[in-house]
Amino acid sequence: MASTPTEADRPADHEVGAFSDNPPWTIDRDHISWLPPLAVAREVVRSDLPRLTRSTFLPPARRVTTVTRHLGWAMGRWAISARRKGGAASRADVSKRLRVAAEKLGPTYIKLAQIISGGEGLFPEELVAETKKCRDQVPAEPWDAVRQVVESELGRPIPEIFSTFEQTPLAAASIAQVHRATLLTGEDVVVKVQRPTVATLVRQDLRVMAWIAPKLVGRIPISALANPPALVELFAETIAEELDFRLEAENMLDVAKSFADLGQRDYVIPRPHPDLVTRRVLVMERLDGFKFDDVAGMKDAGVDTEKVVRTGMIGFMEGAFIHGIFHGDLHGGNLFVMADGRTALLDFGITGRLDDFKRTALLRVLMSGTSNDPKGQLAAFRDLGALPMDTDLDAVVRDLGLDTGEVFDPTQVDADALVEEIQRTVKALLGYGARMPKELMLFVKNLMFVDGAIATLAPDLDILSEIADITMYFATQHGEMIASQLGLGDDAWKLDMDGVKAGFGLGDDVDRLTYRDLQERRETIRKRLEGRKMT
């Protein structure tokens, strides 16, 4: 691995961001041309959200017709062909057809597919595998359209800014595509270019979704937990911000600053260019490394893949718990591992931002989870918006059976009992008005990615040991501050490992749980539920 520079060798912007050690330029927030108007820009985006997500009496007819045609064709072809086969073949066929339909429908539906692609364990594996193609394998815009956007946004012909500009994109996704280029001044860069018609399509699709969402409430039991209108709000907020690349560039600076303040130097954020950033074009530093699933390449380079996972977990949680900001869309296409073992984070269009009230609520989720305090954890979820503020938490504890002290091991019950328990839990939560708030949704989605990262990079990692180590890290590094913010005593942070084991359905006699073990348990549960339908 490459040697780590000494403090004296660090670049001038080392203190203001977790950036690379060999900068093409350095960051000085006082001399960034596109930064000053962004406070107003963010407020404009927020103020426009109610209009974008307001349910209307009549939807945009032309767009509804288009959506119905593509989705109806996909489902119809599946129904008359592979559906009768059942099982994995049927799921694979419908997954492919839905992915193709999403690509034809454009940015908003591709974004839906991308969110599903991070849902290992929640969605069928065939659907997850197929929707992963929507991360960076979406059909690209033609070169003439890309050139027109770049030149109109930057106000000059491409040859007056770049000495080289590769016409074939590195990757193409829902909102934009990225190209390699070199500035006339010699710096290697990546240029992110927004698709020409994306803004119009997104607004039309949000109107369609806002019209449909209220009609789903109460009709599909599991959808009530997801809260369809809140899902539309989440799409509106994230996509609206993604349409202005200046906001993404500011997210890059803010996340980089939070890592620097935390002393987290195992992450690297590319520097946005101080002048070449507009609403639809983002020029940034080019970084290189291993794709996240290139385990062999990392090991050959001497990268400790278990350390990559470990620092990844801590960094992601630390940013959210301590600074209230985190990358909101972690997946394999949005990061890679550099030769020195550090992780480069890319694509900050979706970034989680928590105010102090919600940040401390998330902290209480962690505290109460590690100390086996179910009522405290429910209170924290309530404050995050997952339960109404007037919820009787003692009643929820009783109804969910959280006060019995008994361990429910889903691998040790038959399919009927397992389905019955899931239905009972869902029904109880719906009865209390439970929903998935958008901030928590982003956080949980990232946890799903971390789960998959462990499977890829460190399948033999002892999860129980890592939980203990992470808990000790937070207690040591931030315990006094956390206790003060939550109004707790200095000794409040206690790890109840038996309670943690119970959360996995394990008895207190189990001392080790690797990811391979966890996968075996999940496979057992999947087989028990195979062919079952939960109504």
Side-chain angles (χ1 to χ4, degrees):
M1 291 195 301
S3 60
T4 303
T6 64
E7 193 65 30
D9 297 328
R10 297 286 188 183
D13 53 7
H14 172 72
E15 294 301 322
V16 299
F19 300 124
S20 69
D21 299 320
N22 300 297
W25 53 80
T26 55
I27 294 297
D28 181 351
R29 294 183 72 115
D30 293 332
H31 295 88
I32 296 178
S33 60
W34 44 264
L35 194 56
L38 293 192
V40 174
R42 284 191 187 277
E43 184 55 38
V44 169
V45 170
R46 283 192 289 266
S47 64
D48 200 34
L49 289 177
R51 183 184 63 82
L52 289 174
T53 58
R54 184 182 301 120
S55 178
T56 57
F57 179 72
L58 292 175
R62 181 177 297 178
R63 189 58 177 163
V64 167
T65 300
T66 300
V67 171
T68 302
R69 183 175 74 250
H70 284 295
L71 293 181
W73 177 256
M75 298 302 293
R77 291 291 299 274
W78 165 72
I80 63 176
S81 58
R83 183 180 183 181
R84 67 173 66 94
K85 298 178 182 177
S90 175
R91 293 193 297 269
D93 184 84
V94 72
S95 297
K96 180 178 180 179
R97 294 184 187 279
L98 289 175
R99 189 263 301 170
V100 171
E103 290 178 352
K104 290 180 178 178
L105 286 169
T108 313
Y109 295 90
I110 292 173
K111 182 61 64 176
L112 275 169
Q114 290 173 344
I115 288 179
I116 292 172
S117 74
E120 285 94 348
L122 285 185
F123 302 106
E125 60 184 30
E126 296 84 1
L127 182 60
V128 170
E130 196 64 41
T131 52
K132 283 182 179 179
K133 297 176 183 178
C134 289
R135 291 176 179 173
D136 56 10
Q137 299 179 34
V138 182
E141 296 287 339
W143 167 244
D144 284 345
V146 172
R147 178 181 52 78
Q148 184 176 2
V149 171
V150 173
E151 294 185 343
S152 64
E153 287 292 303
L154 299 183
R156 285 172 284 170
I158 283 179
E160 293 185 13
I161 306 171
F162 304 94
S163 61
T164 66
F165 198 114
E166 294 185 7
Q167 296 186 15
T168 302
L170 283 171
S174 57
I175 302 296
Q177 57 195 56
V178 293
H179 295 255
R180 286 181 179 268
T182 303
L183 296 175
L184 285 177
T185 46
E187 297 91 347
D188 292 329
V189 297
V190 170
V191 185
K192 184 172 183 177
V193 185
Q194 190 173 121
R195 293 177 181 270
T197 61
V198 67
T200 300
L201 285 174
V202 163
R203 285 173 172 80
Q204 290 177 350
D205 286 331
L206 287 174
R207 289 181 60 196
V208 173
M209 291 180 178
W211 178 74
I212 293 174
K215 298 172 176 55
L216 297 179
V217 176
R219 294 180 181 273
I220 306 174
I222 201 67
S223 76
L225 280 178
N227 189 3
L231 276 173
V232 174
E233 291 177 9
L234 172 63
F235 280 126
E237 181 175 343
T238 56
I239 292 178
E241 288 199 357
E242 282 191 275
L243 294 176
D244 190 335
F245 289 173
R246 299 173 304 167
L247 300 180
E248 176 176 349
E250 185 183 35
N251 290 337
M252 295 164 69
L253 297 181
D254 291 346
V255 172
K257 179 65 164 62
S258 76
F259 283 142
D261 290 345
L262 290 165
Q264 280 286 356
R265 295 296 175 177
D266 288 318
Y267 282 100
V268 177
I269 313 298
R271 294 170 175 86
H273 195 279
D275 296 311
L276 301 178
V277 176
T278 71
R279 291 178 184 272
R280 299 195 296 163
V281 171
L282 169 56
V283 177
M284 71 192 87
E285 173 184 11
R286 187 194 303 177
L287 301 174
D288 295 301
F290 300 100
K291 290 185 177 181
F292 205 67
D293 59 356
D294 185 7
V295 179
M298 292 184 217
K299 290 187 178 296
D300 287 344
V303 173
D304 183 343
T305 54
E306 288 195 358
K307 182 182 178 184
V308 170
V309 169
R310 188 173 295 115
T311 57
M313 288 189 291
I314 291 177
F316 155 59
M317 291 190 294
E318 203 171 21
F321 293 141
I322 308 303
H323 282 266
I325 186 170
F326 59 95
H327 192 300
D329 191 24
L330 293 180
H331 61 69
N334 280 350
L335 51 85
F336 55 78
V337 179
M338 300 172 68
D340 61 7
R342 291 182 294 173
T343 299
L345 290 180
L346 314 171
D347 194 351
F348 287 79
I350 301 177
T351 298
R353 291 177 180 266
L354 299 161
D355 60 28
D356 280 344
F357 181 78
K358 289 186 176 180
R359 182 183 61 79
T360 54
L362 196 62
L363 266 175
R364 295 203 312 276
V365 171
L366 174 68
M367 292 280 290
S368 53
T370 57
S371 61
N372 193 23
D373 176 12
K375 183 177 178 181
Q377 198 161 33
L378 286 173
F381 280 125
R382 176 200 61 198
D383 291 345
L384 280 169
L387 290 166
M389 291 302 292
D390 60 353
T391 300
D392 184 341
L393 299 179
D394 289 320
V396 179
V397 170
R398 289 194 302 272
D399 286 352
L400 297 183
L402 302 177
D403 57 346
T404 64
E406 297 179 1
V407 176
F408 177 78
D409 185 349
T411 66
Q412 299 300 315
V413 298
D414 61 28
D416 289 333
L418 183 55
V419 169
E420 182 179 348
E421 178 62 20
I422 293 173
Q423 291 176 333
R424 185 189 70 80
T425 301
V426 170
K427 183 177 180 180
L429 288 171
L430 294 180
Y432 285 104
R435 67 186 187 96
M436 180 68 83
K438 54 193 175 186
E439 297 87 358
L440 186 58
M441 195 180 304
L442 291 178
F443 189 83
V444 170
K445 181 176 176 292
N446 278 357
L447 288 180
M448 294 177 192
F449 169 73
V450 171
D451 180 273
I454 297 173
T456 300
L457 300 180
D460 295 312
L461 198 70
D462 182 359
I463 295 174
L464 299 180
S465 176
E466 290 304 311
I467 290 174
D469 290 344
I470 290 173
T471 302
M472 181 59 67
Y473 175 87
F474 273 90
T476 302
Q477 296 294 320
H478 307 292
E480 184 176 345
M481 183 204 72
I482 292 173
S484 173
Q485 291 184 353
L486 299 186
L488 303 172
D490 293 339
D491 61 345
W493 203 318
K494 297 179 180 179
L495 175 63
D496 182 352
M497 185 53 75
D498 288 343
V500 171
K501 293 176 183 178
F504 285 103
L506 303 173
D508 56 14
D509 59 330
V510 177
D511 295 323
R512 179 177 171 83
L513 177 69
T514 69
Y515 197 84
R516 293 186 196 277
D517 298 331
L518 187 60
Q519 287 292 75
E520 290 178 3
R521 292 174 60 80
R522 289 174 176 171
E523 182 63 16
T524 298
I525 295 169
R526 187 191 67 77
K527 289 180 178 178
R528 290 179 186 276
L529 293 175
E530 186 74 35
R532 294 288 313 208
K533 293 183 179 180
M534 292 183 288
T535 58

